[in-house]
């Protein structure tokens, strides 16, 4: 029983136009213990035969047996296993890892085969000694002479302890002296193995060979036993799969051992990291712009869970109605005076202004800084931790004015507590105030409701005309039916005198029409303002277009109970269901979810979507650019991977090694970037673009970006290893030489 047996085996090469023969109908039996020399002219098929025997190339016809096993069904993986178990290769051009030392080159085989670094150290040193290279064990392979290189290659084949060693022109690149040494070494190790040597220089080997095979035009023309040999059983070779630790070790070694490659990759990854970092904030910026812009339009509370509703018959919404809405289980809260949700009030003093929506302070239980309010004059605000007034404590314990639409509601407010907004956005700021002030503020906020008409001397003036604009406010000083106007509006009455003339104000909105009949009590100018209104002179400037009426008339016009309310569902996805149910109950519903995409939302939504698409496209483009640059840089690594494949390494292992290598570069680049950012933050360096970028990033973003980069790096290595393995080992190998 022979270790290798070929029966009528043929190998063809298919070119575009013709088929040429590597060798044809070869019959051969080879045994352990033999030292076989294959000679013949160049082009006679020696290399091809050797490659088929060593499982680097396939055959088209006939049968090949390995240890009595038929091989025609062998897959790429089976050949990998075969090479790993049986074959040690020695090549004309040595095929070493040039950036590794002698020691590392030999150790590599053992690491790939799952041995621990520690347990193989002595063995590696012994083999180095055996091939006479102890002095050079820490020298890089690139620095060795040809003869020394070939001895490293032999040592590498030896440590594998395979039963078969094949050598294709092992002395082809060596001077006569070195060649002799190499042959001697090979003959020494041939005792328990099958050694097959291809050479066109038979003289060099004839002293050692036990069998001579001569080839010509792809056929064996001579096969002669030179010496009797004792035929032995094959050695049992032990190997395991590579350990994770060894993968890491080799991955790290590969990351750093070629300096130019490392630096180039690092530069690519630094630019990649920088580009991803700088394109991501555009996305975030889009979001925050979107949010702030809604502020400028109709609604400030833009929650997608909000539904605005009124009755289909436009009648008033009663407490009973509200209670039955509250009973729907998907409804979280009902806001009766929903105008507040969209009304901003301002705290202002000479030194600062702070804006927010109003809410009762009964709704809060604790504050992050300061304390809860104890009386009508004290309030709590919520806002961003980054807000200047909040950060510096400037906001506390000052007497400030609370205004709505420039109308002062209370002028002796002081802020006693702060709640920090979760999303660090001042857009969600709130002012938590006493219920009595809420009541007052509510009245003021109605002035935005509907259209107004005023009649003087039976002539109607609409508020929207360009010549006649005014706003209506109420003061305690006036009694029912009294009207106080700015002096300049006298021009609308006959004889430029309105005092004691009849007037009326009519308010029209979606829900109701209401008219109050009034008599002009007086007109005010800068001198009489304070006396007539009871309001400080300072406010005159802002009120030259204000018509004052009594609280009773104001309430009649505006304080009409609820015609429109807002509800909030527990979840966004409940909105449609709740809407339908409310429709059945007799309400018109305006779910904010849909509603906000109209008009303004539409455009912003598009811009936002556009930015998202741009972000994704730039990531994909970056991926491909990086891939091609990295591929170019890694081209020099083909030789590394084809070498370890020849040693029997699986595709999976090659892929992991590459992944670790690229991941290292990527992680290092990422941390360099973080350091730069940190230096910018603590103002050691000042790079405007980076300052601009980091404004938009929080910890979560850094993690998301890290994951994006890791995924990109993973995909690049997967792509690269796929393209590497598209070609067979031999093709990759041939390309290199
Ligand atoms: P040797 O090693 O004896 O010099 P080879 O085994 O390299 O010869 O080549 C044998 C024959 O196969 C030659 O005719 C050669 O042209 C052909 N051949 C070798 N490799 C290829 C290949 N990759 N593609 C096509 N023909 C090839
Ligand atoms: Mg050849």
């Amino acid at each position: 029983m022979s270790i290798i047996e070929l029966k009528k085996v043929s190998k063809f090469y298919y070119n575009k136009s013709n088929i040429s023969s590597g060798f044809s109908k070869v019959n051969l039996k080879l045994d352990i213990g033999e030292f076989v020399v294959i000679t013949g002219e160049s082009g006679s098929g020696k290399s091809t035969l050797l490659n088929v025997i060593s499982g680097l190339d396939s055959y088209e016809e006939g049968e090949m047996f390995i240890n009595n096993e038929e091989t025609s069904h062998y897959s790429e993986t089976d050949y990998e296993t075969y090479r790993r178990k049986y074959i040690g290769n020695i090549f004309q051009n040595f095929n070493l890892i040039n950036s590794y030392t002698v020691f590392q080159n030999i150790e590599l085989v053992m690491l790939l085969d799952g041995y621990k670094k520690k347990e193989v150290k002595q063995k590696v040193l012994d083999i180095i000694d055996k091939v006479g290279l102890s002095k050079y064990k820490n020298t890089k392979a690139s620095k060795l002479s040809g003869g020394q290189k070939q001895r490293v290659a032999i040592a590498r084949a030896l440590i594998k302890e395979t039963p078969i060693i094949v050598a294709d022109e092992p002395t082809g690149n060596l001077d006569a002296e070195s060649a002799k040494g190499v042959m001697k070494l090979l003959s020494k190790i041939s005792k328990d193995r099958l050694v097959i040597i291809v050479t066109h220089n038979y003289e060099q080997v004839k002293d050692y060979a036990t069998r001579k095979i001569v080839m010509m035009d792809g056929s064996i023309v001579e096969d002669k036993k030179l010496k009797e040999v004792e035929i032995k059983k094959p050695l049992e070779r032990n190997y395991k799969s590579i350990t994770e630790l060894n993968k890491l070790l080799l991955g790290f070694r590969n990351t750093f051992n070629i300096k130019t490659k490392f630096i180039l990759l690092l530069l690519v990854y630094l630019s990649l990291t920088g580009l991803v970092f700088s394109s991501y904030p555009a996305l975030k910026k889009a979001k925050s712009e979107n949010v702030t812009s809604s502020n400028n339009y109709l609604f400030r509370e833009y929650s997608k869970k909000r539904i605005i509703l009124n009755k289909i018959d436009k009648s008033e919404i009663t407490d009973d109605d509200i209670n039955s809405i509250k009973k729907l289980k998907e409804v979280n809260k009902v806001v009766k005076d929903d105008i507040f949700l969209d009304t901003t009030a301002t705290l202002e003093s000479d030194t600062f202004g702070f804006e927010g929506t109003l809410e009762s302070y009964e709704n809060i239980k604790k504050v992050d800084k300061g304390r809860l309010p104890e009386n009508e004059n004290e309030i709590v605000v919520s806002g961003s931790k980054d807000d200047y007034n909040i950060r510096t404590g400037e906001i506390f314990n000052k007497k400030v004015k609370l205004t709505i639409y420039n109308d002062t509601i209370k002028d002796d407010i002081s802020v006693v507590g702060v709640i920090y907004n979760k999303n660090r956005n001042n857009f969600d700021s709130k002012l938590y105030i006493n219920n009595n002030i809420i009541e007052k503020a509510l009245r003021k906020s109605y002035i935005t409701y509907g259209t107004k008409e005023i009649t003087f001397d039976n002539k109607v003036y609409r508020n929207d005309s360009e010549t006649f604009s005014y706003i209506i406010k109420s003061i305690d000083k006036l009694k029912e039916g009294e009207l106080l106007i700015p002096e300049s509006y006298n021009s609308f009455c006959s004889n430029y005198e309105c005092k004691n003339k009849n007037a009326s104000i009519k308010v029209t909105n979606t829900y109701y029409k209401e008219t109050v009949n009034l008599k002009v009590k007086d007109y005010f100018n800068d001198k009489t303002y304070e006396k007539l209104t009871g309001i400080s002179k300072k406010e005159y400037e802002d009120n030259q277009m204000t018509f004052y009426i009594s609280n009773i008339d104001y309430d009649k016009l505006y304080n009409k109970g609820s015609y429109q309310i807002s509800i909030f569902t527990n979840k966004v996805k409940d909105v449609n269901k709740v809407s339908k149910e409310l429709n059945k109950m007799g309400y018109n519903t305006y779910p904010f979810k849909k509603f906000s995409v109209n008009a303004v939302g539409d455009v912003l939504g598009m811009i936002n979507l556009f930015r998202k698409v741009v972000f994704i496209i730039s990531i994909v483009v970056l991926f491909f650019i990086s891939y091609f640059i990295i591929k170019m840089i890694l081209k020099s690594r083909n030789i590394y991977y084809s070498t370890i494949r020849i040693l029997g390494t699986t595709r999976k292992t090659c892929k992991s090694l590459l992944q670790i290598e690229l991941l290292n570069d990527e992680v290092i680049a990422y941390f360099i970037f973080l350091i730069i950012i940190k230096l910018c933050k603590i103002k050691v360096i000042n790079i405007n673009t980076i300052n601009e970028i980091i404004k938009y990033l929080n910890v979560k973003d850094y993690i998301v970006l890290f994951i994006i980069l890791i995924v990109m790096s993973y995909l690049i290595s997967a792509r690269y290893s796929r393209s590497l393995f598209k070609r067979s080992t031999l093709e990759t190998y041939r390309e290199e030489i």
Side-chain angles (χ1 to χ4, degrees):
M1 138 186 148
S2 302
I3 181 99
I4 302 273
E5 185 171 355
L6 278 71
K7 283 187 184 163
K8 295 195 171 164
V9 174
S10 302
K11 164 82 196 168
F12 306 113
Y13 287 112
Y14 300 92
N15 285 343
K16 268 170 214 130
S17 50
N18 61 322
I19 303 171
S20 64
S21 151
F23 59 84
S24 63
K25 303 223 160 51
V26 165
N27 292 305
L28 198 61
K29 276 187 178 182
L30 300 166
D31 290 294
I32 303 288
E34 287 189 295
F35 189 106
V36 184
V37 178
I38 304 177
T39 66
E41 306 262 291
S42 179
S44 56
K46 309 182 293 292
S47 297
T48 311
L49 179 62
L50 203 65
N51 290 336
V52 168
I53 290 174
S54 56
L56 284 174
D57 219 343
S58 55
Y59 56 92
E60 271 75 42
E61 248 181 42
E63 291 172 305
M64 178 164 90
F65 296 85
I66 294 165
N67 222 357
N68 277 350
E69 193 184 333
E70 222 280 304
T71 60
S72 55
H73 63 275
Y74 267 30
S75 64
E76 177 80 9
T77 335
D78 292 324
Y79 277 117
E80 266 163 17
T81 314
Y82 164 62
R83 285 204 299 276
R84 208 163 167 186
K85 223 167 152 177
Y86 289 93
I87 307 290
N89 285 92
I90 295 165
F91 295 91
Q92 180 172 353
N93 63 336
F94 327 119
N95 214 21
L96 300 178
I97 313 288
N98 278 326
S99 59
Y100 279 16
T101 64
V102 169
F103 184 91
Q104 287 171 341
N105 262 290
I106 299 164
E107 177 195 46
L108 174 64
V109 180
M110 300 308 273
L111 295 181
L112 290 173
D113 281 349
Y115 291 93
K116 290 201 192 87
K117 195 172 157 65
K118 261 204 208 131
E119 68 190 18
V120 297
K121 187 172 177 200
Q122 197 49 49
K123 196 167 176 188
V124 174
L125 290 173
D126 288 348
I127 297 237
I128 293 177
D129 192 41
K130 201 168 176 180
V131 298
L133 286 174
S134 292
K135 249 170 72 187
Y136 299 96
K137 63 173 190 282
N138 291 324
T139 308
K140 282 207 169 173
S142 55
K143 302 245 164 71
L144 298 174
S145 73
Q148 289 166 334
K149 280 184 184 169
Q150 201 56 298
R151 279 189 274 158
V152 177
I154 292 171
R156 190 176 64 183
L158 275 182
I159 201 160
K160 232 177 129 186
E161 290 182 333
T162 51
I164 305 171
I165 288 185
V166 300
D168 194 347
E169 310 271 8
T171 57
N173 285 347
L174 302 183
D175 57 83
E177 193 62 24
S178 311
K180 218 165 155 188
V182 164
M183 281 306 174
K184 213 179 218 159
L185 196 55
L186 283 173
S187 79
K188 219 158 72 187
I189 60 166
S190 69
K191 299 282 170 320
D192 321 318
R193 303 169 204 256
L194 163 63
V195 177
I196 313 166
I197 291 182
V198 164
T199 181
H200 54 263
N201 188 348
Y202 176 65
E203 286 304 306
Q204 249 174 22
V205 232
K206 70 170 197 292
D207 295 343
Y208 314 107
T210 65
R211 180 168 168 188
K212 179 188 180 190
I213 293 172
V214 181
M215 288 189 77
M216 197 195 267
D217 292 337
S219 302
I220 293 179
V221 290
E222 187 188 336
D223 185 352
K224 191 166 79 185
K225 284 222 158 67
L226 304 172
K227 285 176 195 152
E228 261 324 302
V229 292
E230 186 189 340
I231 292 172
K232 294 191 179 133
K233 276 199 149 164
L235 305 160
E236 275 300 316
R237 170 164 153 70
N238 280 323
Y239 72 92
K240 299 167 264 193
S241 326
I242 182 166
T243 62
E244 296 304 314
L245 194 73
N246 286 356
K247 277 188 203 168
L248 277 177
L249 183 106
L250 290 173
F252 271 86
R253 183 174 288 173
N254 297 343
T255 308
F256 303 109
N257 80 354
I258 306 173
K259 293 213 170 50
T260 38
K261 181 219 66 176
F262 171 66
I263 289 165
L264 282 175
L265 276 183
L266 197 63
L267 287 177
V268 173
Y269 272 113
L270 266 176
S271 341
L272 183 65
T273 311
L275 286 168
V276 174
F277 258 101
S278 50
S279 53
Y280 183 72
L283 193 69
K284 296 265 292 191
K285 204 161 136 194
K287 235 184 197 164
S288 72
E289 267 169 15
N290 193 2
V291 166
T292 25
S293 342
S294 344
N295 176 21
N296 299 329
Y297 297 93
L298 292 169
F299 298 99
R300 187 170 166 108
E301 174 54 81
Y302 52 89
S303 165
K304 287 203 171 103
K305 298 176 190 164
R306 179 177 175 185
I307 305 174
I308 297 176
L309 49 113
N310 57 32
K311 287 207 165 166
I312 291 171
D313 61 14
K314 299 277 192 290
S315 62
E316 191 181 335
I317 298 171
T318 64
D319 287 347
D320 285 347
D321 293 332
I322 288 175
N323 285 334
S324 56
I325 293 170
K326 276 185 178 159
K327 282 197 189 112
L328 298 174
K329 70 174 190 300
E330 294 88 355
V331 172
N332 182 23
K333 69 174 173 182
V334 178
V335 181
K336 199 173 154 198
D337 303 315
D338 71 344
I339 193 157
F340 261 176
L341 294 170
D342 306 309
T343 303
T344 53
T346 311
L347 287 178
E348 50 183 83
S349 76
D350 296 339
T351 50
F352 81 88
F354 187 88
E355 245 188 37
T357 50
L358 294 173
E359 210 170 307
S360 162
Y361 67 49
E362 278 169 13
N363 298 344
I364 51 166
K365 301 278 172 308
K366 67 180 186 43
V367 293
D368 293 318
K369 202 172 162 189
R371 58 176 173 80
L372 290 168
E374 281 158 4
N375 60 50
E376 241 190 61
N377 297 333
E378 296 182 343
I379 72 163
V380 161
V381 301
S382 76
S384 162
K385 224 174 177 168
D386 300 333
D387 179 89
Y388 176 80
N389 293 309
I390 292 178
R391 187 161 43 85
T392 55
E394 193 77 10
I395 203 163
F396 284 113
N397 303 321
K398 291 241 167 69
K399 284 259 173 302
V400 291
K401 271 196 305 196
L402 176 71
T403 63
I404 287 183
Y405 303 118
N406 287 329
D407 201 5
T408 305
I409 292 164
K410 207 162 170 27
D411 62 4
D412 52 354
I413 294 280
S414 71
V415 178
V416 297
V418 169
I419 298 169
Y420 297 133
N421 280 349
K422 268 197 228 95
N423 56 7
R424 293 184 159 237
N425 183 343
N426 244 344
F427 180 62
D428 289 339
S429 303
K430 282 202 162 66
L431 310 174
Y432 295 94
I433 61 177
N434 181 283
N435 277 340
N436 291 335
I437 312 179
I438 290 255
E439 198 61 32
K440 266 179 110 174
L442 187 57
R443 233 185 230 162
K444 305 288 182 188
S445 39
Y446 283 131
I447 61 171
T448 53
Y449 244 40
T451 59
K452 302 182 279 280
E453 281 171 20
I454 191 157
T455 323
F456 285 122
D457 279 356
N458 297 322
K459 258 206 205 131
V460 178
Y461 301 94
R462 282 177 65 101
N463 190 35
D464 49 16
S465 97
E466 272 176 27
T467 49
F468 200 76
S469 75
Y470 62 96
I471 49 176
I472 297 169
K473 292 179 182 176
S474 70
I475 44 172
D476 299 341
K477 264 209 143 166
L478 294 175
K479 289 205 264 312
E480 187 174 359
E482 291 179 337
L483 173 67
L484 191 62
I485 61 169
E487 189 174 23
S488 58
Y489 283 77
N490 274 327
S491 58
F492 290 93
C493 299
S494 51
N495 305 326
Y496 299 97
E497 174 68 54
C498 282
K499 202 166 169 176
N500 289 324
K501 298 243 166 83
N502 285 330
S504 70
I505 297 175
K506 181 177 166 191
V507 166
T508 313
N509 65 35
T510 336
Y511 307 110
Y512 62 83
K513 286 189 180 77
E514 186 67 64
T515 310
V516 289
N517 292 312
L518 307 161
K519 186 173 252 175
V520 180
K521 190 193 173 201
D522 212 337
Y523 51 87
F524 61 84
N525 54 33
D526 57 337
K527 294 191 186 70
T528 56
Y529 180 75
E530 186 159 337
K531 200 181 98 207
L532 291 171
T533 61
I535 301 168
S536 157
K537 267 208 289 265
K538 279 186 276 173
E539 306 274 317
Y540 173 73
E541 279 289 306
D542 289 336
N543 284 300
Q544 292 176 47
M545 293 195 303
T546 304
F547 283 30
Y548 289 104
I549 59 175
S550 69
N551 289 331
I552 297 169
D553 289 322
Y554 190 91
D555 283 351
K556 226 195 241 171
L557 285 178
Y558 290 118
N559 212 354
K560 302 289 279 183
S562 301
Y563 289 85
Q564 174 192 304
I565 61 171
S566 285
I567 64 156
F568 290 83
T569 58
N570 288 319
K571 292 181 194 123
V572 178
K573 69 171 169 44
D574 294 337
V575 164
N576 290 342
K577 192 179 160 207
V578 171
S579 273
K580 267 191 205 129
E581 234 156 299
L582 289 167
N583 293 151
K584 268 188 235 150
M585 287 162 72
Y587 297 95
N588 293 313
T589 52
Y590 307 94
F592 221 75
K593 210 167 87 176
K594 278 192 222 155
F595 193 40
S596 60
V597 260
N598 295 335
V600 185
D602 241 2
V603 181
L604 286 166
M606 292 283 284
I607 292 174
N608 225 354
L609 184 71
F610 178 71
R611 289 211 167 129
K612 255 182 216 158
V613 171
V614 167
F615 177 70
I616 290 166
I617 290 175
S618 22
I619 291 290
V620 173
V621 169
L622 280 179
F623 171 83
F624 281 103
I625 293 174
S626 322
Y627 172 70
F628 285 112
I629 298 177
I630 290 173
K631 194 169 162 174
M632 262 154 61
I633 298 173
L634 287 181
K635 196 130 195 2
S636 63
R637 308 288 290 146
N638 278 354
I639 185 101
Y640 178 84
Y641 288 103
S642 67
T643 302
I644 64 171
R645 273 172 83 190
I646 287 169
L647 293 175
T649 307
T650 61
R651 176 179 181 154
K652 236 175 92 193
T653 305
C654 289
K655 193 168 146 186
S656 327
L657 290 181
L658 185 65
Q659 258 157 23
I660 295 167
E661 188 177 336
L662 291 184
L663 226 55
N664 279 339
D665 280 302
E666 145 53 27
V667 170
I668 293 168
Y670 185 82
F671 280 100
I672 291 177
F673 214 83
L674 285 192
I675 290 168
I676 295 174
I677 285 177
K678 183 75 202 172
L679 291 178
C680 277
K681 270 191 175 160
I682 58 173
K683 306 257 175 328
V684 174
I685 48 175
N686 194 0
I687 303 170
N688 263 342
T689 356
I690 295 184
N691 292 339
E692 192 59 29
I693 291 170
I694 52 186
K695 263 203 302 215
Y696 292 98
L697 299 173
N698 58 35
V699 176
K700 211 179 89 200
D701 298 324
Y702 285 112
I703 296 169
V704 169
L705 289 171
F706 185 65
I707 292 169
I708 291 178
L709 288 164
I710 294 277
V711 169
M712 279 175 85
S713 164
Y714 180 86
L715 291 176
I716 288 171
S717 53
R719 237 190 116 83
Y720 177 75
S721 55
R722 205 177 324 133
S723 81
L724 195 67
F725 277 83
K726 249 197 318 228
R727 291 160 307 153
S728 75
T729 319
L730 208 62
E731 275 169 337
T732 341
Y733 176 70
R734 276 204 197 102
E735 229 169 58
E736 296 309 318
I737 51 179

